[in-house]
Amino acid sequence: MLSYDTLGCREKWALLQRRCAREAGTMPTKTIIEPFRIKTVEPIRQTTRAERHRLLEGAGYNLFLIPSADILIDLLTDSGTGAMSTEQWAAMMRGDESYAGSPSFERFRDAVQSIFGFGHVIPTHQGRAAERILFNVMCKKGDVVPNNTHFDTTRANCEFVGAEAVDLPIPEAREPGMVHPFKGNLDTQGLEELIARVGAKRIPLCMLTVTNNSGGGQPVSMANIRAVKEVCARHNIPLYIDACRFAENAYFIKLREPGYETKTPREIAGEMFRHADGCTMSAKKDGLANIGGFLCTNDDLLAQQQKDLLILTEGFPTYGGLAGRDLEAIAVGLNEALEEDYLNYRIVSTAYLGNHIAKQGVPIVQPPGGHAIYINARAFLPQVPPAEFPGVALAGELYVEGGIRSVEIGTLMFGEHATMDLVRLAVPRRVYTQSHIDYVIEVILEVWKRRSEIRGLALAYQAPFLRHFTAKFRRKADKPVGEAREREKQAR
Ligand SMILES: Cc1ncc(COP(=O)(O)O)c(C=O)c1O
């Protein structure tokens, strides 16, 4: 079969042009029609610029520390922030809250197995709980775990057990402005070299994150999944997929990879997971649920060890830290996430935001990702060096300008591992309308106009791990006083 990864450079470019033109052709020129109507509304509150200034300073320039009531448009994350459908709410009423063996678990397990196809389905309260169990059971100190790009919780959980998390994105992924249809691909040559350098025995598993969140929400091609599996199989290394945005990844394959045009997202997802030995999943993304996750494997022995650990910290294997009603919501959500009307709206509306700001010169990771737009903060604020956190500074300005909450993915989140400083605008599923997004575009363009005035920040406090959640900053020009000075001393 013709596969993207076997094409030459010029052929790839021509193919990409045709694919992008076709994608753009599905994009309405004026109005995006959301494939739903609104039954319940949730008011959002305007604040004044002076209030936002005060709130930002009070939060030490960390948007995680601002109450959501003071946010107008919340693009902090697409995780657990989506709106549920009438079918999901209806299913929740059927939730059976029995401690053991509830039919809600059976519906959840069947829904997961019908899409992902793995023998064991272990529910967890969210994605990182699945990661913690996976790494605890499979890894030990001195091990090495490759991934296209580890998400922050994946890296932290891997390092917590003493293993080394290694990112192996393709070289194109390190160029934010470069257009490539599958920029989430893992560098198979790099994987071979890593195996040759450290030895397969030190690599208990290889991971592949679809779509690659930290790398710009970029998809992984089926050809790449197949190639990674081929390398892993040759060295007897199990392949696990971080499946958070599997449906968006499947739709990108349908749009961009030759041979998949007529397949359904469900068929494509099935093929993706047939190449893997297991997966971790946060159902807060393409499970269209507000909480939940799961861990899957085909290995009976590992599954037993994972379930034992699950009982210790999450709960009995038929609920894993979730209520029966949560299991029901996920069972319905996983299927809704694979509907083509939904996926088309999802991909097109995210690209709408990215294309509109890029057209005005705002540097973004190209092409637009599935769940988010990533502004290249180093290029947006060339006067702010990475050590002064350009992403945090830019995110703060978007809040002051228009009450928009975004998140830095860069030097704050990844420290020395950061190769880019990005501001992620993650779009919650089925929540905001086109007019909300038009407003976001206007705010970004206002900040773009006054970009030369924006200054960097200095770290005043940081936690020993996952520091981005609670870190505090001060403006470069401000002198630390009192408590802030104390915190800064601790941070050093
Ligand atoms: C790629 C990826 N993996 C893992 C996780 C962790 O999932 P959770 O937040 O449910 O713990 C996330 C969450 O954003 C993610 O994007």
Side-chain angles (χ1 to χ4, degrees):
M1 187 176 61
L2 182 62
S3 111
Y4 176 80
D5 289 15
T6 59
L7 297 177
C9 226
R10 208 182 269 179
E11 288 164 306
K12 276 184 183 171
W13 181 244
L15 175 73
L16 177 61
Q17 296 294 308
R18 283 200 305 277
R19 302 272 151 171
C20 287
R22 210 183 67 200
E23 270 177 50
T26 65
M27 193 177 296
T29 48
K30 287 205 175 81
T31 310
I32 295 170
I33 301 293
E34 288 86 5
F36 49 80
R37 51 187 185 178
I38 297 165
K39 192 177 245 173
T40 308
V41 295
E42 191 178 7
I44 48 177
R45 189 176 84 88
Q46 293 276 1
T47 46
T48 64
R49 198 183 185 95
E51 274 180 295
R52 294 194 292 273
H53 255 300
R54 222 179 24 253
L55 283 156
L56 187 64
E57 263 179 34
Y61 295 88
N62 186 340
L63 296 176
F64 277 103
L65 305 179
I66 294 189
S68 64
D70 297 317
I71 306 288
L72 187 64
I73 306 284
D74 204 343
L75 306 181
L76 179 71
T77 177
D78 62 320
S79 178
T81 52
M84 290 209 297
S85 67
T86 46
E87 289 303 318
Q88 284 178 292
W89 283 110
M92 283 181 86
M93 286 305 292
R94 213 169 41 214
D96 179 305
E97 303 304 341
S98 305
Y99 190 94
S102 89
S104 295
F105 172 72
E106 287 164 19
R107 280 189 282 271
F108 164 85
R109 183 201 53 209
D110 293 350
V112 174
Q113 280 180 331
S114 76
I115 298 166
F116 296 77
F118 297 110
H120 298 274
V121 180
I122 300 171
T124 58
H125 81 274
Q126 62 183 88
R128 69 198 68 184
E131 292 166 355
R132 190 185 64 77
I133 293 170
L134 178 75
F135 294 131
N136 263 279
V137 167
M138 294 190 77
C139 299
K140 60 179 185 321
K141 197 165 183 310
D143 283 346
V144 177
V145 181
N147 199 331
N148 44 358
T149 311
H150 289 268
F151 183 64
D152 63 351
T153 59
T154 324
R155 170 174 288 282
N157 273 297
C158 182
E159 290 174 350
F160 200 70
V161 297
E164 187 191 345
V166 176
D167 292 340
L168 294 173
I170 52 169
E172 290 89 337
R174 299 195 195 275
E175 300 285 336
M178 184 180 279
V179 178
H180 183 292
F182 292 106
K183 233 174 163 177
N185 283 356
L186 185 143
D187 177 4
T188 46
Q189 179 65 31
L191 180 60
E192 297 270 23
E193 284 164 14
L194 179 76
I195 297 169
R197 185 161 55 80
V198 306
K201 280 211 172 67
R202 278 180 64 200
I203 306 180
L205 75 159
C206 173
M207 291 194 79
L208 204 45
T209 305
V210 301
T211 57
N212 186 358
N213 184 3
S214 308
Q218 301 293 326
V220 177
S221 70
M222 191 70 85
N224 190 249
I225 298 174
R226 223 181 285 123
V228 173
K229 175 63 187 174
E230 192 275 316
V231 175
C232 288
R234 228 178 326 111
H235 296 277
N236 222 1
I237 299 170
L239 174 64
Y240 276 68
I241 294 183
D242 177 339
C244 294
R245 298 176 181 85
F246 75 98
E248 291 169 9
N249 200 90
Y251 196 62
F252 275 123
I253 289 177
K254 180 179 171 74
L255 291 176
R256 296 180 183 173
E257 194 161 346
Y260 291 91
E261 300 85 347
T262 57
K263 293 209 161 54
T264 64
R266 174 181 288 274
E267 287 167 338
I268 296 171
E271 185 177 335
M272 282 161 54
F273 292 106
R274 272 198 295 283
H275 296 296
D277 299 280
C279 75
T280 54
M281 171 76 183
S282 169
K284 299 169 74 174
K285 284 85 169 174
D286 279 351
L288 293 177
N290 300 124
I291 195 71
F294 49 87
L295 171 59
C296 291
T297 181
N298 281 330
D299 186 315
D300 298 343
L301 186 65
L302 280 179
Q304 194 49 55
Q305 292 168 346
Q306 288 163 353
K307 284 179 199 171
D308 290 346
L309 197 53
L310 185 86
I311 292 173
L312 189 68
T313 55
E314 293 280 300
F316 195 71
T318 60
Y319 74 88
L322 294 170
R325 54 182 170 271
D326 299 326
L327 297 169
E328 296 278 1
I330 297 167
V332 177
L334 287 170
N335 286 307
E336 288 183 354
L338 285 168
E339 283 169 13
E340 280 204 49
D341 273 358
Y342 160 75
L343 281 169
N344 185 47
Y345 140 81
R346 174 80 180 145
I347 300 302
V348 165
S349 57
T350 305
Y352 176 91
L353 167 59
N355 291 338
H356 274 76
I357 57 174
K359 222 185 283 169
Q360 301 302 318
V362 176
I364 64 165
V365 174
Q366 289 283 9
H371 68 292
I373 294 303
Y374 296 68
I375 300 176
N376 178 357
R378 285 189 195 172
F380 196 111
L381 302 176
Q383 71 276 24
V384 181
E388 295 179 15
F389 305 98
V392 182
L394 177 56
E397 293 297 330
L398 296 178
Y399 177 68
V400 170
E401 188 66 40
I404 296 168
R405 176 152 64 177
S406 53
V407 70
E408 187 253 22
I409 298 203
T411 305
L412 173 62
M413 187 178 275
F414 294 115
E416 71 205 45
H417 300 286
T419 53
M420 296 187 268
D421 277 284
L422 307 174
V423 169
R424 187 187 72 178
L425 302 151
V427 187
R429 294 167 180 77
R430 307 189 290 204
V431 171
Y432 293 116
T433 63
Q434 187 180 340
S435 65
H436 290 118
I437 298 299
D438 284 335
Y439 170 82
V440 172
I441 292 166
E442 283 168 20
V443 170
I444 295 169
L445 295 181
E446 281 306 311
V447 177
W448 176 238
K449 274 191 228 152
R450 59 176 180 80
R451 61 192 180 278
S452 62
E453 300 156 18
I454 299 169
R455 298 281 160 267
L457 297 164
L459 200 56
Y461 164 75
Q462 62 174 330
F465 44 81
L466 293 176
R467 64 177 181 172
H468 50 289
F469 289 117
T470 51
K472 292 212 171 180
F473 296 87
R474 60 177 171 80
R475 275 195 191 286
K476 265 314 258 187
D478 304 341
K479 287 232 161 61
V481 284
E483 199 194 337
R485 191 185 298 137
E486 222 16 70
R487 275 201 306 269
E488 195 168 320
K489 260 200 232 150
Q490 285 169 11
R492 278 198 217 110

